[in-house]
Amino acid sequence: MHNIHYKIQAASPTEHLFKVELTLKNPDPNGQTLLLPAWIPGSYMIRDFAKNVVSLYAHSHNQLIKLKKINKSTWLCPPLNGPLTVVYEVYAWDLSVRGAHLDTTHGFFNGASVFLCPVGLEDHMCSVEILAPEGNNYQEWKVATSMPRLTAKEHGFGMYQASNYDELIDHPVEMGCFTLVAFYAGEIKHEIAVTGKHRANMERIAQDLKKVCEYFIRFFGLPAPMEYYLFLVMALHKGGYGGLEHRASCTCHIAREDLPTSVHQIMDDHYINFLNLCSHEYFHTWNVKRIKPEAFMPYDLSQESYTEQLWVFEGFTAYYQDLVLIRTEIISPEQYLKLLAETCTKVWRLPGRKKQTVTESSYDAWIKFYKQDENAPNAIISYYTKGAVIALALDLKLRLLTNNQYSLDDVVKKLWQDYGKKNKGLPEGRVIEIIESFGDETIRTFLQKALYSTDDLDLKTLFHEFGIEFSLRIPSSLKEKGGIKTKEDNLTKVSLGITAVPSEAGIRVQTVFTDSCAQKAGISSGDSLISINHIKLDNKAWETQVAQYEKGDNVIIHAFRRDELMSFEVTLDFIPTYICELSFADEPTPKMLENRFKWLH
Ligand code: ZN
């Protein structure tokens, strides 16, 4: 037991309560301050974890001590000589990768949401005793965490430790009856723990992730920066999705259907979805967990920390998450093109790309990207997808400029050597100089435009030199994601320019796109559309009903706004062109083929 000791018990699974005890042998004699983070690194939103603290009291030498709350997340202890023990419960019913969750089937927590930080003692070692719920029902429970063990047995409850508070909150803990599989990559033990009902083919997953992990360990260079790595996976319902990176582990929430079963041998879109989530989080082990914005060193978890650089940390990561899958031959070149086309479609389909730059998106992540409303598609761009497209363009551009001598790989490796490995924060703007050092001033001009303007990137010209044709076309439905170009398509379907979901009251409008005919006619988010030219709109076929009209036709749309019937005269003149398609050129030159080979292998 260290001078700072935490004890956390999954005390009441039915009430979803963790009980935590923090004992400080030597608290600040002038009054110890205790803080619960307002946000968790990797997820840039104020979450105010203190809202889940249900009861809190303290004692010292068998005397109750009154702590004073001095702001929403901070408690102050009166001056005293240690030890000081603080006892509190944390309500844990947030099934996300960011918080804590406890029921009779499993327990999970991120340290940021349960462990009070003793301000001023952040750099001290601490021990953590992790305890199972009491009772026979929990005898089989095990622990999965990358937190270093003190006296606990492998996967056992008991004593763990962390060398400082920053490390303490960077090892999420899963407890329950998860399925485990292990593999070695770069001589480091990796484990995958899958929680939730599933029939996943664990061996298959281990076999594929091993390739990804070995690739990245080699890419950044031995030795790897961690001694053990853990993928904490939770199998969820359809649509379940989320990931969060940590220094030696990650949490991945995934739909059950995205996990391969033993009868399911092909590499399909579902399984690719799972693999690139895992490879994304794994790449973060270097890029953002160690190569970090200067503004995150150290993290100020009491308030927002601003950086323009999330396009590097999320965009580059999003680019490499897919690239590694083709470089390790887990997916085919066609499957890779499809992933690229889908990413491009996500950028081109948002009118917001003309309103917000990628650096603004990063800076304002706290109030915009993480707080998206119905107008978000018109107002913002994602630093993930636009960042990935910038990464792609930079990679191709550097290769062309230097005749394949340098690429984005060299940029990322330099970031690792000069910053991540040395534990030095990356100052704002520095990455531009590093990129320029591998290219020339045209790269700087390109970057200025990519980062500080809302102009579309010219991917068509770049792709052409790699024997790949890039094109944009009109969508045939809202669900279309872009992909491989299969045939010439002369679609000229009109659309209202909305996203909507069927509801009992009608077609409920979510987003009305900027400059769409729906917007010009006055249709608004929340309206329930019921008819077009006095014919009922069908819940399943409303898009086709609209598309039966020709460009320029005038139609009457009836809708309810709240409980008031509205009538809109709509001129159907909106034909957006945002579906990105990629295809291999029919007659590439040998130089194009060489460029492509060096890029993808
Ligand atoms: Zn990420």
Side-chain angles (χ1 to χ4, degrees), residues 141-191:
W141 278 28
K142 299 170 290 188
V143 173
T145 182
S146 53
M147 201 187 298
R149 288 182 281 126
L150 192 58
T151 55
K153 296 210 169 74
E154 194 177 19
H155 303 301
F157 287 91
M159 293 286 248
Y160 289 77
Q161 64 180 337
S163 46
N164 51 50
Y165 184 78
D166 185 48
E167 185 188 352
L168 171 71
I169 62 167
D170 207 13
H171 296 292
V173 174
E174 171 72 28
M175 51 182 87
C177 298
F178 42 79
T179 323
L180 264 179
V181 67
F183 63 88
Y184 281 81
E187 295 183 0
I188 288 165
K189 186 173 184 181
H190 289 61
E191 285 188 303

Side-chain angles (χ1 to χ4, degrees), residues 138-308:
Y138 306 102
Q139 300 286 322
E140 303 293 312
W141 278 28
K142 299 170 290 188
V143 173
T145 182
S146 53
M147 201 187 298
R149 288 182 281 126
L150 192 58
T151 55
K153 296 210 169 74
E154 194 177 19
H155 303 301
F157 287 91
M159 293 286 248
Y160 289 77
Q161 64 180 337
S163 46
N164 51 50
Y165 184 78
D166 185 48
E167 185 188 352
L168 171 71
I169 62 167
D170 207 13
H171 296 292
V173 174
E174 171 72 28
M175 51 182 87
C177 298
F178 42 79
T179 323
L180 264 179
V181 67
F183 63 88
Y184 281 81
E187 295 183 0
I188 288 165
K189 186 173 184 181
H190 289 61
E191 285 188 303
I192 308 163
V194 183
T195 300
K197 288 193 167 62
H198 71 91
R199 291 175 52 243
N201 180 345
M202 300 294 285
E203 296 305 323
R204 170 95 194 270
I205 297 173
Q207 199 186 322
D208 289 324
L209 281 183
K210 179 181 165 76
K211 292 180 197 161
V212 170
C213 298
E214 279 179 341
Y215 181 85
F216 283 141
I217 290 176
R218 268 203 325 270
F219 180 92
F220 285 102
L222 290 164
M226 64 293 194
E227 289 168 359
Y228 164 81
Y229 192 89
L230 173 67
F231 291 92
L232 283 173
V233 178
M234 179 139 205
L236 290 170
H237 52 84
K238 204 176 163 95
Y241 190 80
L244 194 61
E245 66 277 6
H246 301 281
R247 67 185 60 193
S249 63
C250 64
T251 311
C252 297
H253 281 189
I254 196 79
R256 199 168 284 115
E257 62 182 4
D258 289 350
L259 295 171
T261 63
S262 47
V263 292
H264 169 157
Q265 291 297 334
I266 54 158
M267 182 60 63
D268 66 2
D269 291 353
H270 285 295
Y271 186 33
I272 292 174
N273 198 37
F274 172 64
L275 287 177
N276 65 22
L277 174 63
C278 293
S279 78
H280 178 102
E281 304 309 341
Y282 194 73
F283 189 79
H284 273 318
T285 311
W286 290 267
N287 191 35
V288 94
K289 291 315 305 187
R290 290 175 176 83
I291 308 165
K292 287 183 192 182
E294 205 172 36
F296 291 175
M297 299 194 72
Y299 292 113
D300 176 356
L301 297 174
S302 68
Q303 59 181 351
E304 294 87 342
S305 291
Y306 298 100
T307 173
E308 286 189 350

Side-chain angles (χ1 to χ4, degrees), residues 269 272 326 331-342 468 482-486 582-584 596 600:
D269 291 353
I272 292 174
I326 176 157
I331 61 172
S332 68
E334 287 73 18
Q335 284 171 317
Y336 181 61
L337 279 203
K338 182 161 182 274
L339 291 173
L340 282 180
E342 288 176 1
I468 294 168
I484 295 276
K485 189 171 185 126
T486 47
L582 295 172
S583 58
F584 291 112
R596 193 200 295 166
L600 298 180

Side-chain angles (χ1 to χ4, degrees), residues 95-148:
L95 187 57
S96 81
V97 297
R98 301 166 299 252
H101 190 254
L102 174 64
D103 65 10
T104 53
T105 67
H106 89 129
F108 170 80
F109 65 80
N110 280 293
S113 66
V114 295
F115 293 136
L116 281 170
C117 173
V119 177
L121 304 174
E122 295 92 338
D123 292 337
H124 293 231
M125 287 277 288
C126 60
S127 48
V128 184
E129 187 177 12
I130 304 173
L131 296 168
E134 284 171 6
N136 291 334
N137 293 344
Y138 306 102
Q139 300 286 322
E140 303 293 312
W141 278 28
K142 299 170 290 188
V143 173
T145 182
S146 53
M147 201 187 298

